[in-house]
Amino acid sequence: MLVRRLGAPSDFDPLLERVRDARVVMVGEASHGSHDYYRIREQLTRRLIAEGGFSFVAVEGDWPDCDRVNRSVLGMPGSAADPHAALRRFERWPTWMWANAEVARFARWLRAWNLDRPETVRVGFHGLDVYSLWESMQAILDYVGEEDPDSFEAVQEAYACFEPYGRRLDEYGVASRFVSARCEEEVIRLLARTREHAASDGPDRFSAWQNAAVVAGAERYYRAMVGGGAQSWNVRDVHMADTLDRLLDRYGPQARGIVWAHNTHVGDGRATDMSDDGMVTIGQLARERYGPDDVVLIGFGSYRGTVTAAPRWGATVETMVVPPARPGSVEQRMHELLPERAVLVFDGPDQPGWVTETVDHRAIGVVYDPAFESWGNYVPTRLAQRYDGFVWCDETTALRPLAAVPTPGERETWPAGV
């Protein structure tokens, strides 16, 4: 195992050497609300793009919201001249995951980088996630209304199937278990039709195809969610892995992709107790699909600090104190053994026991209760099998959300910037 103190972007050199010719690099985070993770991930990603020729960044976010950012960073006609404006339009809770000052800084850099280069080699910014059923449906309606009027009726039928449930898609999931409320057939027809039309060139056609895939994935997700267990998790991660496949195909045979997501998605689930519950991760699926030599998985962790999170789903965002990691955890051992910031590369047979044995590894989501630390928020992990590399920050600070743009006619419910 190689350990290097992290103080400057050049200290990523051993990690970039590990990347070499990898087709996919996944860069994680131990929380969705730590400034330091986002800032360090940005620095690493800049080097991957500038020195490694990576083709796109794909994040654990919704396709329609990220597509507005993508159009801005590519400098497409009619897009926002400043990606900051596109990020402020993120609508789905938790908006701060991507609508924050740290991502805005990266997106502005990416736009400047792209505008100095030919359109054919510009680097995209895309969403992998599955939640945006209504937003994706609306995007398809907008597209077919202008570009494919013959498909309008098929889209309306799919839209009408979900309409009785409004935004209460959990109710759709419940109803689909007991009555014939499934919209699966309409969604399959919609997906087949948009796939056929997306076979020709053009970013708008590809985006319509991806939005149709989101609608299909969301229908499966909300139906599976009611049953609990691993199925809804797997629907989501398989959808993200399939979206990554489509992006790699879209960008061509030499394409290389960077993924930003939580450690629980980026890490290989087979090195955790997640696999015991039948759960898969995009990191695991990428290793299986492309081969371990073509995939590099990078995790993050910290000992203590502050984090941006909410006490419950849909609640107002807060800055919370992250207490010192529990005794015996990965984080507690790194706190004792490593510099304040460090980069680890797991390579070769000579690995210390604390990275090969099963040890608790902290994971903080968008919903967080520091009081739960004594019995939750940890994933038993074999660190050197779950990741190829690891970024250590002994103490972290909270992420800075952007102020959201209120939807006309609706009450502002999103957190203000700090």
Side-chain angles (χ1 to χ4, degrees), residues 18-223:
R18 174 65 181 84
V19 168
R20 294 191 190 96
D21 299 321
R23 192 179 184 196
V24 173
V25 176
M26 298 193 181
V27 192
E29 57 192 3
S31 84
H32 287 310
S34 298
H35 159 79
D36 307 79
Y37 300 152
Y38 280 66
R39 180 63 175 140
I40 294 170
R41 184 165 58 184
E42 173 199 353
Q43 293 171 339
L44 175 58
T45 300
R46 287 191 188 193
R47 289 199 63 188
L48 290 170
I49 291 170
E51 301 170 36
F54 278 76
S55 312
F56 60 86
V57 177
V59 308
E60 186 188 337
D62 291 341
W63 180 271
D65 284 336
C66 292
D67 196 48
R68 288 192 294 270
V69 180
N70 179 59
R71 290 168 182 272
S72 178
V73 300
L74 293 178
M76 294 178 65
S79 65
D82 184 350
H84 183 283
L87 287 164
R88 289 187 68 224
R89 291 182 59 195
F90 273 50
E91 297 177 349
R92 181 174 300 281
W93 191 95
T95 56
W96 73 85
M97 272 182 63
W98 305 114
N100 58 66
E102 291 75 10
V103 173
R105 184 212 313 257
F106 170 75
R108 283 169 166 167
W109 173 86
L110 185 57
R111 177 180 168 90
W113 170 269
N114 280 333
L115 294 184
D116 280 342
R117 283 156 182 79
E119 292 183 9
T120 54
V121 295
R122 291 179 182 177
V123 177
F125 184 93
H126 304 287
L128 294 173
D129 224 329
V130 75
Y131 291 127
S132 60
L133 188 148
W134 285 109
E135 294 83 356
S136 291
M137 192 81 76
Q138 185 60 55
I140 299 169
L141 279 168
D142 293 342
Y143 170 76
V144 300
E146 294 184 8
E147 304 291 338
D148 185 19
D150 292 341
S151 298
F152 197 77
E153 184 176 346
V155 178
Q156 283 186 314
E157 288 176 2
Y159 191 98
C161 183
F162 292 103
E163 202 167 23
Y165 305 96
R167 302 277 169 162
R168 303 178 305 279
L169 290 169
D170 54 333
E171 294 184 11
Y172 166 75
V174 172
S176 69
R177 298 185 66 192
F178 301 106
V179 298
S180 181
R182 294 184 180 182
C183 302
E184 187 175 8
E185 292 183 5
E186 287 81 356
V187 168
I188 289 173
R189 285 197 294 269
L190 172 64
L191 180 58
R193 191 173 188 103
T194 52
R195 181 188 289 121
E196 177 184 343
H197 284 269
S200 60
D201 238 357
D204 291 341
R205 288 180 182 270
F206 179 78
S207 187
W209 177 21
Q210 177 57 29
N211 275 309
V214 170
V215 171
E219 192 276 336
R220 290 193 298 272
Y221 175 81
Y222 288 111
R223 184 154 35 93

Side-chain angles (χ1 to χ4, degrees), residues 356-392:
T356 58
E357 300 166 357
T358 299
V359 183
D360 287 342
H361 176 20
R362 181 154 53 191
I364 296 174
V366 293
V367 174
Y368 179 55
D369 181 358
F372 197 60
E373 283 278 328
S374 59
W375 64 87
N377 298 327
Y378 287 82
V379 179
T381 295
R382 298 184 299 279
L383 204 71
Q385 295 176 28
R386 189 175 183 183
Y387 310 110
D388 299 293
F390 197 82
V391 176
W392 171 248

Side-chain angles (χ1 to χ4, degrees), residues 23-24 55-56 201 206 209 241-257 289-290:
R23 192 179 184 196
V24 173
S55 312
F56 60 86
D201 238 357
F206 179 78
W209 177 21
D242 291 346
T243 301
L244 178 61
D245 283 348
R246 281 189 288 274
L247 287 169
L248 289 168
D249 288 343
R250 174 70 181 171
Y251 278 84
Q254 304 304 314
R256 308 179 77 189
R289 293 180 183 188
Y290 314 130

